[in-house]
Amino acid sequence: MTSISYLTNTLLPLHIRRFRPSLSTLSCSLASDVDPTPNSYFPKRGQTLELVCESLAFKGKGLCKVTQTGFVVLCDRALPGEHFIGRVTRKKGNYAEVTKVKTITPPRDIVDAPCVYAPYCGGCKTQNLSYEAQLRAKEEQVRDLLIHVGKFSLQHLQLHAVLKPIVPCRIQFHYRNKMEFSFGPQRWLPKESLQDRIVDDDTNENYALGLHAPGFFDKILNVDNCLLQSHPANKVLAAVQECWRDPQLGFSPYNVHSHKGFLKHLMLRTGRDVTTDQPEVMVNFVTSSYKPELLKFLVDKVSVFPEVVSVINNVNTSVGNTSVGEEEYTLYGKSSITETLRGLTFQISANSFFQTNTYQAEVLYKLIEDCAGVKGDDSEIVLDLFCGTGTIGLTLARSVRHVYGYEVVPQAITDARLNAKINGIQNATFVQGDLNKIDENFGKNFPKPDIVISDPNRPGMHIKLIKFLLNLRAPRIVYVSCNPATCARDLDYLCHGVEEKNIEGCYKLISLQPVDMFPHTPHIECVCLLELQ
């Protein structure tokens, strides 16, 4: 199965190698703390360099060039147009990674980030870049990956208007319906704040509840308010922060090194009551053991909010960092919350998958429906791959003969069947199975589809599944991707084939529509329409 390491070691260098370096990118005077012009074209670890950020690349890192040589490096939190000093931290083949030391000239389109945690939190790396510039950067990244990884010519993309302008997100803050915060025994502080630390490291006041500091699995940035989650969820977070450190309550945060402690995670999910359209909040305390009497104070504290209709306790006894428990208990209210999407009602349990941005999911699913181009005469068969809880397939089921959905997660399949029942949909069949491990028997238990929907996770589709689709030869494929790099690779395979494996492509890329699902983050969603040649 394709992994993220494959992306960083293969796709990313390929993408970067296409940027042909010039020997004089900019004629700027060198800063005094920059090393003299390097003897070698390839910089060394620890070397300081003068850099200019040209664009944003994989995971939102700045793609930069050394001003003296044009050698390409990546820098976290560097923004387009920024002229800065960077220190080389890693050297990887044809590119290097640097850490920003200081800015010489600020980026183009810079704005003031409204969140106080933006300089340190890993969630909103581009909050200080204007939203219009964020959209341009994401659109450029998709275009470059289509050309350099997908092997589609720029002339072809422009001539046939294949690449569409990115769809912006109307709501740029408070759009997330799910956030997960972690408890920790010692809060992480940025270097500039360490001198202000007056709290004894051994006191409860140094406990943290928040988000992981970028690059650390064991360091927590304490967060009192997150501008990405809903207002009711922020009220719950503030209420928990107000009291959980009180030593008289007996709470202890989980220590990932000693594997001791009670509180692991606080997960907050927001939905809507389908009758009143008012927000519903689920509070999920993930703990290392089941002690409802200990949690009672926190349950009482958060249940006073009228929006809180469910308090859940997931018990996770493993040493891993997952929030999914081996056991689940309902401590207050309902065991699930509801949400509506494209006119359908969905039950959302503590660990079920649901699109994180409900507002933009409406836009995304409308685009998928338009790409699918269903006739509406109840004659077509839809194959819904990586169906999750059935949200996409169920929105199409009203206009087709039958939907067959496949998903590896058993709980997701259970939720998909429940969602079909809730909405009175009887022409949808959901099957649990690993699409990365299909054999020659796959496809024999459903009729040939007219439309295939494929919505894989970040690693994209396994070559076995791509070979199956090429042999299946469905008239239309709607490929929905949360990773434009693996998306471009899979489009290349489906359209151009894989010569070294004697695989011939048989599809034509009709359109690719980027969608901004998560403003201020590097994530990009793409909806692609392919038609059989």
Side-chain angles (χ1 to χ4, degrees), residues 56 75 192 241 264 285 304 309 333 388 406 408 477 527 531:
L56 296 181
C75 182
E192 56 266 34
Q241 288 280 36
K264 283 190 168 185
F285 293 104
V304 299
V309 298
Y406 284 80
V408 68
I477 296 177
V527 180
E531 290 184 354

Side-chain angles (χ1 to χ4, degrees), residues 236-269:
V236 173
L237 174 62
V240 175
Q241 288 280 36
E242 183 183 296
C243 66
W244 78 277
R245 295 178 184 82
D246 187 341
Q248 295 183 355
L249 298 177
F251 293 120
S252 58
Y254 186 75
N255 188 314
V256 295
H257 295 289
S258 66
H259 308 305
K260 295 179 180 179
F262 178 62
L263 293 172
K264 283 190 168 185
H265 304 284
L266 171 67
M267 182 192 293
L268 303 174
R269 304 193 75 150

Side-chain angles (χ1 to χ4, degrees), residues 477-489:
I477 296 177
V478 180
Y479 189 117
V480 187
S481 172
C482 60
N483 184 344
T486 51
C487 175
R489 180 205 63 197

Side-chain angles (χ1 to χ4, degrees), residues 42-190:
F42 299 97
K44 296 180 176 63
R45 184 173 179 180
Q47 188 174 353
T48 51
L49 304 167
E50 184 181 13
L51 301 164
V52 174
C53 179
E54 298 200 343
S55 61
L56 296 181
F58 185 64
K59 292 187 176 180
K61 293 187 177 183
L63 193 152
C64 315
K65 285 184 180 179
V66 181
T67 56
Q68 301 99 316
T69 65
F71 181 81
V72 173
V73 300
L74 294 178
C75 182
D76 200 24
R77 296 187 183 276
L79 298 175
E82 186 172 7
H83 181 195
F84 67 100
I85 306 300
R87 179 172 291 109
V88 179
T89 54
R90 296 178 73 187
K91 172 76 169 56
K92 298 192 72 174
N94 294 296
Y95 73 100
E97 294 183 6
V98 303
T99 298
K100 191 192 303 182
V101 176
K102 73 174 183 179
T103 296
I104 299 173
T105 306
R108 301 185 299 268
D109 306 304
I110 192 170
V111 297
D112 291 330
C115 178
V116 295
Y117 307 107
Y120 319 110
C121 173
C124 303
K125 291 184 177 181
T126 55
Q127 211 182 101
N128 58 338
L129 186 65
S130 75
Y131 187 56
E132 292 75 16
Q134 292 180 39
L135 294 175
R136 287 198 304 270
K138 291 182 177 184
E139 195 172 294
E140 290 170 5
Q141 187 180 148
V142 173
R143 181 198 63 205
D144 291 342
L145 286 166
L146 268 182
I147 295 171
H148 303 313
V149 177
K151 301 174 185 173
F152 296 92
S153 70
L154 179 60
Q155 182 180 11
H156 171 78
L157 298 177
Q158 293 176 337
L159 181 64
H160 300 282
V162 173
L163 181 60
K164 309 299 181 184
I166 190 168
V167 176
C169 185
R170 183 175 61 86
I171 299 174
Q172 292 152 31
F173 290 98
H174 304 293
Y175 58 76
R176 286 188 66 97
N177 57 38
K178 176 186 174 183
M179 284 291 295
E180 181 180 310
F181 303 96
S182 297
F183 292 91
Q186 186 169 329
R187 66 177 64 187
W188 177 85
L189 292 173

